[in-house]
Amino acid sequence: DLWIAEGRAVASAPESPNPASFTPKIDESWIAEWEQVRAAIKNPACSILDVRADKEWTGADPIGTKRGGHIPSAVHLDWREAIDQATKRFKPTLVIQEMFARTGLSPEKEVITYCQGGIRAAHTAFVLWLAGYDHVRNYERSWSEWGNREDLPIECPQGAAK
């Protein structure tokens, strides 16, 4: 709908793309493991960003994990906040930068994003990168790992650790 509304070209006949090859490479600098996240809890040069829904953050909805809550020192911002819900497009860069700044994130610090399984966190890592944050990593195993490991610390916003 947006494509047509913007007057972009459309065709009714199928296209025949030219064959191409693609060799994917994993860029490890974008990935955080639980050990790095645990170390970031007390590291003032690092921020941890939980992008799950409010009920996941508070622990009211642990979504199939043994424990509910969030990673200590994490800040919370629902991943959907970066999207204009009317247009389904990213909000303007300045608005996104101000939103992250209000959350306490700084482009000078490393930011580790997490959610339940790394998908929403990957989206937010991309948004952070678009907003000028150069040191971003995604904890791809996210709460599905952290919430099921009883040896890792958690908090609830009310202050009652579980």
Side-chain angles (χ1 to χ4, degrees), residues 62-125:
I63 305 185
T65 56
K66 293 178 185 177
R67 306 176 305 157
H70 60 269
I71 296 172
S73 82
V75 294
H76 179 244
L77 182 69
D78 190 310
W79 72 280
R80 293 171 287 201
E81 291 297 316
I83 301 168
D84 180 317
Q85 295 305 308
T87 65
K88 303 302 181 199
R89 298 179 85 179
F90 290 125
K91 291 178 180 177
T93 302
L94 184 59
V95 172
I96 289 173
Q97 288 170 336
E98 290 171 352
M99 177 183 67
F100 287 139
R102 279 192 310 274
T103 307
L105 302 178
S106 167
E108 290 78 35
K109 292 184 177 184
E110 176 182 37
V111 180
I112 298 174
T113 61
Y114 79 95
C115 58
Q116 181 67 23
I119 297 167
R120 295 173 283 178
H123 177 276
T124 303

Side-chain angles (χ1 to χ4, degrees), residues 50-62:
D50 184 322
V51 301
R52 300 175 299 159
D54 289 345
K55 286 185 177 183
E56 293 170 275
W57 161 259
T58 64
D61 187 359

Side-chain angles (χ1 to χ4, degrees), residues 8 11-12 17 19 24 31 34 42 53 63-64 66-67 80 83 95 110-111 126 130-131 136 138 142 144 146:
R8 298 178 184 266
S12 57
I31 300 170
W34 70 267
K42 294 184 180 186
I63 305 185
K66 293 178 185 177
R67 306 176 305 157
R80 293 171 287 201
I83 301 168
V95 172
E110 176 182 37
V111 180
F126 179 65
L130 288 174
V136 180
N138 176 11
S142 287
S144 62
W146 197 278

